[in-house]
Amino acid sequence: MKTADTRSYPLLPYSQLVWDLMQSDPHIYNFDFTLRVKNATADIEKLKQAFRTALSNHPVLSMVIDADGKQSYMPTEDILHGQFHSIRFEDNDNYTDINVHYNRILGDSVSGNIFVEDVFRAYNSLALEQDHYIDYLEWLEKYKQSSAYSQHRQWLEKEFGVACPVHPQPDLPLTAGVKAIEGVIHDDFTTLRERLQAVSERHIVSLSALFSLAAAMAIMQYNGTDMAALTWAYEGREQPMEQHVFGSLHRDIPILLKADTDKTALFKQIRTQMRQGIAHSLYPYTLTKPFTERWNYAVNVLYYNSNNDFLSIAPFEAELIIPDTEHPAYSLLDMEIYDSGDTLALLYRYSATHYNEQSMMRFAGLVRQNLEWLTE
């Protein structure tokens, strides 16, 4: 077993946001799911060990956060259960349930993919790539003292200190102080895939950029303004040390757009905004107080692969079971792009407490109209 490290580190920006929210709601951002494995297709004992090996490979799963919100590396023999995760194996005659509980404070969506890769490699007796999470924490603390870090903040404050909406106007005021319950709307864009891909290649913009542009236009149209801002989730991980890190390394990058009837000008705006946003993204502008008072409520565009994609490469037969329960709304409005195989869909996860379904359907309709116009 690896030895403990008495050094402590600040939390990464998104983890800090989750930690702060936990102080008033200890169960926020908890997630549970079950991986049901068909026993006849797997060596269950080998699979259990593969999970232990994968868990031990990622320092964040052995970090302990103290009352001051500082994290330290404190590995234990019981790697299946940590401060913010738990994995239980339930054996049955024909299948084994692997019940997973974790909190978003541990890592982003890329982290999940990295962990699954490690489980499969360990199961196949292959070596695992080292996770440099602690090296990254040390590098980041040094970078925070640099002039470049200060310059990022100054640029972001100047660029985004403009008064404009960051979401469609809610039906219920945000100051109402009521519990937010999640609503979900699904819109299939598979029939537009070829047109979107063609425009993406012609104007050198990603699918995330196209959907972000359409969403910003929709916010302007919905609110009757000529400017709007939102955020998009950037995976980051440019440095070699970041490539195999399980942690909250993703960045919510702000963009601000102005209305224009010229499509080429709009594509130029979104391309420039995304490139400049990435260049300055090491400063966590949208996650830093006092800016969070505004940006916590911004529309956020995220790009995802299907939850079941990893099962297609699993070295055994399994199915993913996600409980069908009522969820709290963790944001005012997230727009999740699901791009898998021949399917392209947009999922709106919104606070049904603040938007009624009719209003969200109207907003989704504006986004679709904008994408159709942009790809004509």
Side-chain angles (χ1 to χ4, degrees):
M1 187 179 73
K2 296 178 181 178
T3 58
D5 189 335
T6 57
R7 292 172 295 178
S8 63
Y9 304 90
L11 295 171
L12 293 176
Y14 199 91
S15 295
Q16 183 66 57
L17 173 67
V18 177
W19 175 257
D20 292 342
L21 293 171
M22 281 180 171
Q23 305 317 298
S24 57
D25 183 357
H27 303 292
I28 197 167
Y29 282 107
N30 280 335
F31 298 98
D32 296 272
F33 66 87
T34 296
L35 183 65
R36 177 163 291 175
V37 179
K38 188 175 180 180
N39 287 346
T41 68
D43 182 330
I44 300 302
E45 289 306 313
K46 188 176 180 181
L47 180 57
K48 290 178 179 178
Q49 184 55 46
F51 266 87
R52 293 186 179 93
T53 300
L55 289 165
S56 299
N57 192 46
H58 298 289
V60 73
L61 299 173
S62 294
M63 302 298 277
V64 174
I65 302 177
D66 63 23
D68 296 324
K70 295 295 180 67
Q71 57 180 326
S72 300
Y73 183 63
M74 302 287 290
T76 68
E77 292 184 358
D78 186 15
I79 190 61
L80 295 178
H81 302 89
Q83 189 176 8
F84 299 106
H85 77 273
S86 175
I87 295 180
R88 294 184 299 103
F89 298 95
E90 185 177 332
D91 299 320
N92 296 279
D93 291 336
N94 299 317
Y95 60 85
T96 296
D97 280 347
I98 304 173
N99 301 304
V100 178
H101 168 84
Y102 74 99
N103 188 278
R104 174 64 179 79
I105 197 170
L106 293 171
D108 51 26
S109 60
V110 176
S111 300
N113 295 334
I114 289 172
F115 181 74
V116 169
E117 175 190 327
D118 275 4
V119 171
F120 292 168
R121 287 187 63 85
Y123 183 81
N124 289 320
S125 302
L126 299 173
L128 306 188
E129 184 179 342
Q130 184 179 354
D131 183 328
H132 293 280
Y133 179 71
I134 294 178
D135 292 335
Y136 177 76
L137 295 179
E138 292 181 346
W139 173 84
L140 185 59
E141 288 311 297
K142 291 179 181 177
Y143 187 77
K144 288 179 182 179
Q145 308 306 314
S146 70
S147 59
Y149 192 75
S150 298
Q151 290 166 6
H152 292 326
R153 172 172 178 149
Q154 293 166 10
W155 185 89
L156 289 160
E157 288 180 343
K158 181 179 179 181
E159 184 76 11
F160 296 101
V162 180
C164 67
V166 296
H167 53 249
Q169 182 65 32
D171 299 308
L172 185 71
L174 297 177
T175 55
V178 294
K179 183 178 181 181
I181 300 300
E182 184 181 81
V184 179
I185 290 176
H186 178 276
D187 198 359
D188 194 319
F189 282 88
T190 304
T191 57
L192 271 181
R193 171 188 281 280
E194 290 187 6
R195 284 166 55 180
L196 288 165
Q197 192 63 43
V199 168
S200 173
E201 294 173 359
R202 187 182 317 127
H203 292 279
I204 319 175
V205 292
S206 64
L207 281 177
S208 290
L210 283 175
F211 279 94
S212 296
L213 173 57
M217 293 167 63
I219 293 173
M220 292 183 236
Q221 294 157 348
Y222 195 99
N223 294 318
T225 61
D226 61 0
M227 295 178 65
L230 46 73
T231 62
W232 67 285
Y234 172 58
E235 293 179 353
R237 300 172 185 266
E238 301 97 342
Q239 302 180 78
M241 77 169 76
E242 299 176 79
Q243 299 308 306
H244 204 68
V245 169
F246 192 126
S248 287
L249 272 64
H250 102 280
R251 309 164 197 168
D252 286 339
I253 298 180
I255 59 175
L256 188 152
L257 295 166
K258 300 176 182 178
D260 202 313
T261 56
D262 185 326
K263 294 179 187 178
T264 300
L266 287 170
F267 289 129
K268 182 179 180 180
Q269 276 196 69
I270 191 65
R271 190 168 56 243
T272 300
Q273 282 283 300
M274 286 199 159
R275 288 174 176 173
Q276 290 183 339
I278 290 171
H280 296 279
S281 64
L282 274 172
Y283 185 84
Y285 176 74
T286 64
L287 300 177
T288 305
K289 296 176 182 178
F291 313 117
T292 50
E293 294 177 8
R294 177 189 188 193
W295 294 98
N296 277 354
Y297 298 105
V299 171
N300 190 34
V301 178
L302 308 96
Y303 183 91
Y304 283 127
N305 288 321
S306 169
N307 282 334
N308 289 306
D309 276 359
F310 72 91
L311 294 181
S312 64
I313 60 171
F316 42 76
E317 291 184 25
E319 64 174 315
L320 187 65
I321 302 172
I322 300 175
D324 185 16
T325 57
E326 184 180 81
H327 296 285
Y330 292 120
S331 62
L332 188 63
L333 173 56
D334 280 350
M335 295 172 56
E336 300 178 353
I337 306 165
Y338 284 86
D339 184 10
S340 177
D342 296 325
T343 302
L344 180 64
L346 186 59
L347 205 65
Y348 295 84
R349 294 190 184 276
Y350 65 97
S351 170
T353 304
H354 296 92
Y355 292 108
N356 61 49
E357 186 176 10
Q358 183 179 7
S359 296
M360 195 47 51
M361 290 293 292
R362 176 189 164 206
F363 180 75
L366 291 171
V367 173
R368 174 172 280 276
Q369 288 174 24
N370 292 331
L371 284 167
E372 290 174 346
W373 177 72
L374 288 167
T375 59
E376 284 177 350

